Amino acid sequence: MHHELAVTAQGLVKRFGDRRVVDGVDIAVPKGMIYGVLGPNGAGKTTTLRMLLGIIEPDEGERTMLGSERPREMSDRVGYLPEERGLYPSMKATHAIAFMGALRGLDWKTGRKRAVELMEAAGLGHATDQKIRKLSKGMAQLVQLLGSVVHQPDLLVLDEPFSGLDPVNQERLEKLILAERDRGATILFSTHVMAHAERLCDRLTIIAGGKVRFEGSMADARGTLPHKAHYVPHHNDAGIAALLPADAVSDNEGGWRFTLPDEGIEALLVRLIDAGYGISGLSIERPSLHDVFVKIVGAQALEEAAAA
């Protein structure tokens, strides 16, 4: 059970002109967890993270980071990967990582030693002496992430860390995030890609239009929607529809999909068997985070996020 909180926010508000980009956001991130801030582009995720870090000040509300109401004073204990990436192109990869560690108080010798170890662990051992300009975009992005963890922070804040990465580097990044969690760090990251959040997050909040639309565990999120059933009868005819739930839809391959009845599936199966339809296949499908996101935020917002 996680009692201590690494990050808190109450009633955060940020206005840009007449627009409330963040509108009363509350967040509580338990120590040692991977916590996702999900939402479509323009939802207010980046602005929220920047307020939590003390990069910008909220117009209203309070926040704490690692127990301090002055988050910038905690910067040596925090690793941060901003949405806008930036490394010195003429630096060697290991030097770039050590340099980022030095900005957080890590001595240069230790930083270079850890940089080599981190790159090798991330599958980048062949590129330790390469200059940033010679690296692919995905490799350079991983180097910047390694630079944000080289000082072994207590809290790691990642803003859209998977953006622009190919599948191989996405997998490397996921492993690195899990390794940091296993080391004892708290990870707070924003994303509009549901698959990463579904695989990684212990808890999450969904933000849309600057407001929190959901907060809770992955099980809580899935619990907002009923389970679905996929049923394939031995034989199919027009009469079967009368026995199935009202929302049953044919999948055009001889099967049917429908919401799991409140009383469970057993009584329905007995009726189907008694009527002679039999069971060729049956699976119960739990709701995905994608389904939850569509319900909470809307299909259009998800399409816009996927196109970004």
Side-chain angles (χ1 to χ4, degrees):
M1 183 72 179
H2 297 260
H3 296 291
E4 292 185 79
L5 296 174
V7 179
T8 68
Q10 295 88 35
L12 285 189
V13 172
K14 189 64 185 178
R15 303 179 189 88
F16 293 135
D18 295 332
R19 186 163 164 251
R20 288 167 77 102
V21 177
V22 177
D23 190 7
V25 164
D26 297 341
I27 282 180
V29 181
K31 285 185 177 178
M33 277 196 181
I34 300 177
Y35 192 101
V37 179
L38 281 56
N41 290 317
K45 304 188 300 294
T46 293
T47 303
T48 297
L49 293 186
R50 287 176 175 166
M51 284 192 286
L52 294 174
L53 287 160
I55 295 169
I56 58 176
E57 289 298 311
D59 295 321
E60 297 175 26
E62 300 173 348
R63 80 279 201 225
T64 66
M65 177 165 283
L66 301 175
S68 174
E69 294 179 4
R70 296 176 178 172
R72 296 193 72 159
E73 293 183 1
M74 297 288 107
S75 62
D76 284 0
R77 296 174 57 196
V78 177
Y80 175 45
L81 182 72
E83 191 172 16
E84 307 82 19
R85 319 294 187 223
L87 294 167
Y88 293 111
S90 61
M91 266 191 176
K92 288 183 178 180
T94 49
H95 291 184
I97 294 169
F99 174 70
M100 291 176 68
L103 294 176
R104 303 290 193 180
L106 187 68
D107 71 89
W108 184 254
K109 183 179 178 182
T110 303
R112 286 186 61 183
K113 181 174 179 289
R114 286 186 188 170
V116 172
E117 293 167 353
L118 285 168
M119 288 189 70
E120 288 175 349
L124 301 177
H126 62 284
T128 52
D129 289 326
Q130 287 188 22
K131 292 187 175 181
I132 297 300
R133 67 164 63 94
K134 296 287 184 69
L135 302 179
S136 69
K137 179 184 175 183
M139 289 170 66
Q141 191 164 322
L142 280 178
V143 166
Q144 187 164 355
L145 179 74
L146 296 177
S148 69
V149 304
V150 68
H151 60 299
Q152 298 181 342
D154 297 320
L155 173 68
L156 185 58
V157 181
L158 311 173
D159 194 359
E160 293 284 358
F162 298 97
S163 178
L165 290 181
D166 61 73
V168 171
N169 283 319
Q170 286 182 15
E171 185 176 347
R172 286 172 170 166
L173 176 52
E174 286 194 8
K175 286 181 179 176
L176 201 148
I177 289 172
L178 291 170
E180 283 298 295
R181 193 268 313 272
D182 292 345
R183 182 179 63 78
T186 305
I187 293 96
L188 172 63
F189 78 96
S190 74
T191 186
H192 62 261
V193 182
M194 298 303 108
H196 300 302
E198 193 152 30
R199 283 193 292 271
L200 292 171
C201 290
D202 299 306
R203 290 186 73 84
L204 56 98
T205 189
I206 297 175
I207 295 178
K211 294 178 180 289
V212 172
R213 309 293 181 176
F214 170 85
E215 199 284 332
S217 68
M218 194 66 66
D220 294 335
R222 291 194 178 108
T224 63
L225 288 174
H227 283 59
K228 297 277 187 179
H230 183 224
Y231 162 66
V232 182
H234 277 313
H235 73 90
N236 219 339
D237 61 39
I240 194 171
L243 293 176
L244 296 172
D247 69 341
V249 176
S250 170
D251 62 9
N252 297 318
E253 295 178 3
W256 295 82
R257 295 182 186 276
F258 49 85
T259 300
L260 201 63
D262 290 339
E263 71 270 21
I265 194 76
E266 292 82 1
L268 174 61
L269 293 179
V270 168
R271 291 195 293 273
L272 290 165
I273 292 168
D274 288 347
Y277 290 107
I279 304 171
S280 183
L282 177 69
S283 60
I284 307 300
E285 301 166 355
R286 66 181 182 179
S288 68
L289 192 55
H290 174 106
D291 299 329
V292 174
F293 191 88
V294 169
K295 180 198 174 193
I296 293 171
V297 174
Q300 182 180 352
L302 190 68
E303 288 169 11
E304 290 171 358

